[in-house]
């Protein structure tokens, strides 16, 4: 079921394991980050998609999501596959299956 939600969502969704390794990605995320296929993103570290100056803040927020189950939205600068960047809002939630 969660795969259908990821595939059909108009939002850019990245799913990562507790170590930050990306395990799933939505079509909108591929488009937004400039990748063509899920395999180009799967296995990357989530923080590789965050601009270096925002990584420490992103790690704190991910730890908060792991601990509390949910993090309120926060604005970050993200990196596309071609090295360009964009500002986006990130939400994080702990999902157990």
């Amino acid at each position: 079921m969660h795969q259908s939600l990821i595939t059909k969502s108009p939002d850019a969704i990245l799913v990562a394991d507790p170590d930050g390794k990306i395990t799933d990605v939505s079509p909108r995320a591929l488009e937004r980050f400039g990748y063509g296929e899920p395999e180009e993103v799967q296995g990357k570290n989530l923080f590789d998609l965050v601009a270096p100056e925002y990584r420490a803040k992103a790690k704190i927020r991910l730890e908060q999501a792991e601990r509390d189950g949910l993090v309120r939205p926060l604005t970050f600068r993200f990196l596309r596959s071609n090295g360009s960047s964009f500002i986006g809002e990130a939400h994080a939630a702990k999902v157990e299956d």
Side-chain angles (χ1 to χ4, degrees), residues 55-84:
R55 286 181 186 156
K57 189 188 300 188
K59 287 179 183 182
I60 290 168
R61 290 301 179 127
L62 190 61
E63 290 168 0
Q64 184 181 10
E66 179 68 27
R67 184 182 66 248
D68 300 338
L70 182 67
V71 172
R72 301 228 184 276
L74 190 64
T75 301
F76 293 105
R77 181 171 296 281
F78 295 96
L79 300 174
R80 292 187 182 98
S81 63
N82 67 4
S84 67

Side-chain angles (χ1 to χ4, degrees), residues 11-71:
D11 296 322
I13 297 175
L14 297 166
V15 179
D17 68 14
D19 296 321
K21 180 179 153 187
I22 297 170
T23 59
D24 208 348
V25 58
S26 71
R28 178 69 176 131
L30 291 174
E31 177 185 314
R32 190 73 179 120
F33 286 94
Y35 291 94
E37 299 295 327
E39 295 78 19
E40 295 176 71
V41 181
Q42 291 168 336
K44 286 186 176 288
N45 190 287
L46 186 63
F47 302 110
D48 291 341
L49 302 179
V50 177
E53 66 270 22
Y54 287 89
R55 286 181 186 156
K57 189 188 300 188
K59 287 179 183 182
I60 290 168
R61 290 301 179 127
L62 190 61
E63 290 168 0
Q64 184 181 10
E66 179 68 27
R67 184 182 66 248
D68 300 338
L70 182 67
V71 172

